[in-house]
Amino acid sequence: MNENIFKTICDFYGWKNANFSSIHSGLINNTWKVINDDEVFILQKINTSIFKRPDFIDDNLKLLSSYFKINHPEYLFTSPIANNNAETLCCIEDGYYRSFSFIKNSFTIDVVQTANQAFEAAHQFGKFTALLNELDASQLKITLPDFHNLSLRYHQFEDAIQSGNPERIEEMKIDISFIQSKKNIVDKFENFIHHPDVKQRVTHHDTKISNVLFDADNKGLCVIDLDTIMPGYFLSDVGDMMRTYVCPVSEEEADLNKIIIRKDFMKSIQDGYLKGIGEVLSSFEKDNFFLSGEVLIYMQAIRFLADYINNDVYYGCKYPAHNLVRARNQIRLLQEYQSALE
Ligand code: GN1
Ligand code: MG
């Protein structure tokens, strides 16, 4: 970040003696750790080419924060801190920033190494939705319209193979046919969401492991990265945990032989989430627990593949074939996950 911009931000927050270092986590927003004397903060710049309405994010966080304060004051809800103008969102020349207090003695992890970590994280995400079960989810603003709408994602993929980069479409012929051959997952998703026993609830929509804070005893403390909290289906939260916790390597891995499923981790996610969410899910939803992984892995494969074909406009890339690697990684993960369900 440019020093002048940082200076402006420091003025907003009254940081007199601050320095920053970059934290490389997430594909969308930019994040820094700021140390001001003996205080530590997290500073984030919201990516407004993706989040068109940062004010909606801010409104949602205010709504949730006041709900927690009244109904569950013991819950550690990480809301942005107020600046000198009593605002939780700073709009400056080059974009929107917000800052959080760093939670002392907490840490995040990037890769799920033990089934207990999967259990703890799933417990936290289940608990989060359960604590907010009495809040009318429709009060939340939609920060990313149709974010986890699989049918829409499939249409976007169809558009990409009509009008995307022809060389890349040719290169990805086999992958494209694979995605088309699995279109029944879209039907399963539609049948699921239209079932009378399925409800929309307050949903996090980005349940990767680095979005859970742990304490020194490896117990989950709370969930963070709250920009995509919107009304949604449990499929989204559980599915993204299946997608990102059960395999020992991440979506960045190019060696497909390393993509395997740790079945005991699937069970830990189930146990942890059900413990956290309690009686909130219907029996139909519980019966479809593992559909979540198929939907979310398939969706992510589609998103990476479409982005590769569209010349990496959404996720960006660190090397030319980056989104190709990510798409093939997710395709293999889907194959392995479906075999594990058989
Ligand atoms: C993005 O930026 P990050 O890593 O929190 C994306 C998720 C994807 C993920 C894949 C707003 O999340 O949906 O699952 O990348 N978030 C958005 O790594 O598109
Ligand atoms: Mg995120």
Side-chain angles (χ1 to χ4, degrees), residues 26-29 50-51 144 147-148 205-206 208 211 225 228 240 243 251 300 303-304 314-315:
L27 303 182
I28 306 295
N29 294 328
I50 289 171
F51 291 103
L144 289 173
F147 185 42
H148 279 183
H205 287 109
D206 190 8
K208 61 185 179 193
N211 286 339
D225 189 1
T228 49
D240 225 24
R243 184 179 84 76
E251 64 199 17
Q300 196 63 54
R303 292 178 67 192
F304 284 141
Y314 189 89
Y315 285 113

Coordinates of all heavy atoms in Angstrom, one line a residue, residues 26-29 50-51 144 147-148 205-206 208 211 225 228 240 243 251 300 303-304 314-315, ligand 1:
G26 N -6.8 -15.0 1.1 CA -8.0 -14.6 0.4 C -7.7 -14.2 -1.0 O -6.6 -13.6 -1.3
L27 N -8.6 -14.4 -1.9 CA -8.4 -14.0 -3.3 C -9.0 -12.7 -3.6 O -8.7 -12.1 -4.7 CB -9.0 -15.1 -4.3 CG -8.5 -16.5 -4.1 CD1 -9.2 -17.4 -5.1 CD2 -7.0 -16.6 -4.2
I28 N -9.8 -12.1 -2.8 CA -10.6 -11.0 -3.2 C -10.2 -9.7 -2.5 O -9.8 -8.7 -3.2 CB -12.1 -11.3 -2.8 CG1 -12.6 -12.6 -3.4 CG2 -13.0 -10.1 -3.2 CD1 -12.6 -12.7 -4.9
N29 N -10.2 -9.6 -1.2 CA -9.9 -8.3 -0.6 C -8.4 -8.2 -0.3 O -7.7 -9.3 -0.2 CB -10.6 -8.1 0.8 CG -12.1 -8.0 0.6 OD1 -12.6 -7.4 -0.4 ND2 -12.9 -8.5 1.5
I50 N -15.8 -6.4 -7.0 CA -16.6 -7.6 -6.7 C -17.8 -7.2 -5.7 O -18.9 -7.5 -6.0 CB -15.7 -8.7 -6.1 CG1 -14.9 -9.2 -7.3 CG2 -16.6 -9.8 -5.5 CD1 -13.8 -10.1 -7.0
F51 N -17.4 -6.5 -4.6 CA -18.4 -6.0 -3.7 C -18.8 -4.6 -4.1 O -18.2 -3.6 -3.7 CB -17.9 -6.0 -2.3 CG -17.7 -7.4 -1.7 CD1 -16.4 -8.0 -1.6 CD2 -18.8 -8.2 -1.3 CE1 -16.2 -9.2 -1.1 CE2 -18.6 -9.5 -0.8 CZ -17.3 -10.0 -0.7
L144 N -23.7 -9.9 -2.4 CA -23.3 -10.5 -3.7 C -24.5 -11.2 -4.2 O -24.8 -12.4 -3.8 CB -22.1 -11.5 -3.6 CG -20.8 -10.9 -3.3 CD1 -19.8 -12.0 -3.0 CD2 -20.3 -10.0 -4.4
F147 N -24.9 -15.2 -5.2 CA -23.5 -15.7 -5.0 C -23.4 -17.2 -5.1 O -22.6 -17.7 -5.9 CB -23.1 -15.2 -3.6 CG -21.6 -15.5 -3.3 CD1 -20.6 -15.4 -4.2 CD2 -21.3 -16.0 -2.0 CE1 -19.3 -15.6 -3.9 CE2 -20.0 -16.2 -1.7 CZ -19.0 -16.1 -2.6
H148 N -24.2 -17.9 -4.4 CA -24.2 -19.4 -4.5 C -25.3 -20.0 -5.2 O -25.8 -21.1 -4.9 CB -24.0 -20.0 -3.1 CG -22.6 -19.9 -2.5 ND1 -22.2 -20.4 -1.3 CD2 -21.5 -19.4 -3.1 CE1 -20.9 -20.2 -1.1 NE2 -20.5 -19.6 -2.2
H205 N -21.3 -18.3 4.0 CA -20.9 -18.3 2.6 C -19.4 -18.3 2.3 O -19.0 -18.1 1.2 CB -21.6 -17.2 1.8 CG -23.0 -17.4 1.6 ND1 -24.0 -16.6 2.2 CD2 -23.7 -18.3 0.8 CE1 -25.2 -17.0 1.8 NE2 -25.1 -18.0 1.0
D206 N -18.5 -18.5 3.3 CA -17.1 -18.6 3.0 C -16.4 -19.3 4.2 O -15.7 -18.6 4.9 CB -16.5 -17.2 2.7 CG -15.1 -17.2 2.2 OD1 -14.6 -18.3 1.8 OD2 -14.5 -16.2 2.1
K208 N -14.0 -21.4 4.7 CA -12.7 -22.0 4.7 C -12.0 -21.9 6.1 O -12.4 -21.0 6.9 CB -11.8 -21.4 3.6 CG -11.6 -19.9 3.8 CD -10.9 -19.4 2.6 CE -10.7 -17.9 2.8 NZ -10.3 -17.2 1.7
N211 N -11.0 -18.8 8.0 CA -12.0 -17.9 8.5 C -12.6 -18.3 9.9 O -13.7 -17.8 10.3 CB -13.2 -17.8 7.5 CG -12.8 -16.9 6.3 OD1 -11.9 -16.1 6.4 ND2 -13.5 -17.1 5.2
D225 N -14.3 -12.9 8.7 CA -14.5 -12.7 7.2 C -16.0 -12.7 6.9 O -16.5 -13.7 6.3 CB -13.8 -13.7 6.4 CG -13.8 -13.3 4.9 OD1 -14.4 -12.3 4.5 OD2 -13.2 -14.1 4.1
T228 N -19.7 -12.0 3.2 CA -20.7 -12.7 2.4 C -21.8 -13.3 3.3 O -22.5 -14.2 2.8 CB -20.0 -13.8 1.6 OG1 -19.2 -14.6 2.5 CG2 -19.1 -13.3 0.5
D240 N -18.8 -25.8 1.5 CA -17.5 -25.2 1.4 C -16.5 -25.8 2.4 O -15.3 -25.8 2.1 CB -17.5 -23.7 1.5 CG -16.7 -23.0 0.4 OD1 -16.5 -23.7 -0.7 OD2 -16.3 -21.9 0.5
R243 N -15.5 -29.0 0.8 CA -14.6 -28.7 -0.4 C -13.2 -28.4 0.1 O -12.2 -28.8 -0.5 CB -15.2 -27.5 -1.1 CG -14.4 -27.1 -2.3 CD -15.1 -25.9 -3.0 NE -14.7 -24.6 -2.4 CZ -13.5 -24.0 -2.6 NH1 -12.7 -24.5 -3.4 NH2 -13.3 -22.8 -2.1
E251 N -6.9 -26.0 -3.2 CA -7.3 -25.8 -4.6 C -6.1 -25.3 -5.5 O -6.2 -25.3 -6.7 CB -8.5 -24.8 -4.7 CG -8.0 -23.4 -4.2 CD -9.2 -22.4 -3.8 OE1 -10.3 -22.9 -3.6 OE2 -8.9 -21.2 -3.7
Q300 N -17.5 -24.5 -7.6 CA -16.1 -23.9 -7.6 C -15.4 -24.3 -8.9 O -14.6 -23.5 -9.5 CB -15.3 -24.2 -6.4 CG -14.1 -23.4 -6.1 CD -14.5 -21.9 -5.9 OE1 -15.3 -21.6 -5.1 NE2 -13.9 -21.0 -6.7
R303 N -16.7 -22.2 -11.5 CA -16.2 -20.8 -11.4 C -14.8 -20.6 -11.9 O -14.5 -19.7 -12.6 CB -16.4 -20.3 -10.0 CG -17.9 -20.1 -9.6 CD -18.0 -19.7 -8.1 NE -17.5 -18.3 -7.9 CZ -17.3 -17.8 -6.7 NH1 -17.6 -18.5 -5.6 NH2 -16.9 -16.6 -6.5
F304 N -13.9 -21.5 -11.5 CA -12.5 -21.4 -11.9 C -12.4 -21.7 -13.5 O -11.7 -21.0 -14.2 CB -11.6 -22.5 -11.2 CG -11.3 -22.1 -9.8 CD1 -11.3 -23.0 -8.7 CD2 -11.0 -20.7 -9.4 CE1 -10.9 -22.7 -7.4 CE2 -10.6 -20.4 -8.1 CZ -10.6 -21.3 -7.1
Y314 N -12.0 -12.6 -13.0 CA -12.5 -12.5 -11.6 C -11.4 -12.9 -10.6 O -11.1 -12.1 -9.7 CB -13.7 -13.5 -11.5 CG -14.4 -13.4 -10.2 CD1 -15.5 -12.5 -10.0 CD2 -14.1 -14.2 -9.1 CE1 -16.2 -12.4 -8.8 CE2 -14.7 -14.0 -7.9 CZ -15.8 -13.2 -7.7 OH -16.5 -13.1 -6.5
Y315 N -10.8 -14.0 -10.7 CA -9.9 -14.5 -9.7 C -8.5 -13.9 -9.9 O -7.7 -14.0 -9.0 CB -9.9 -16.0 -9.6 CG -11.1 -16.6 -8.9 CD1 -12.0 -17.4 -9.6 CD2 -11.3 -16.3 -7.6 CE1 -13.1 -17.9 -9.0 CE2 -12.4 -16.9 -6.9 CZ -13.3 -17.6 -7.6 OH -14.4 -18.2 -7.0
Ligands
GN1_1 C1 -13.0 -16.3 -2.9 O1 -11.3 -14.2 -1.3 P1 -11.7 -15.5 -0.6 O2 -10.6 -16.5 -0.7 O3 -12.2 -15.3 0.8 C2 -14.4 -16.4 -3.2 C3 -15.0 -17.6 -2.7 C4 -14.2 -18.8 -3.3 C5 -12.7 -18.7 -2.9 C6 -11.9 -19.7 -3.6 C7 -16.4 -13.2 -2.9 O4 -12.9 -16.2 -1.5 O5 -16.4 -17.8 -3.1 O6 -14.7 -20.0 -2.8 O7 -12.3 -17.4 -3.3 N1 -15.1 -15.2 -2.7 C8 -15.8 -14.4 -3.5 O8 -10.6 -19.7 -3.1 O9 -16.0 -14.6 -4.7

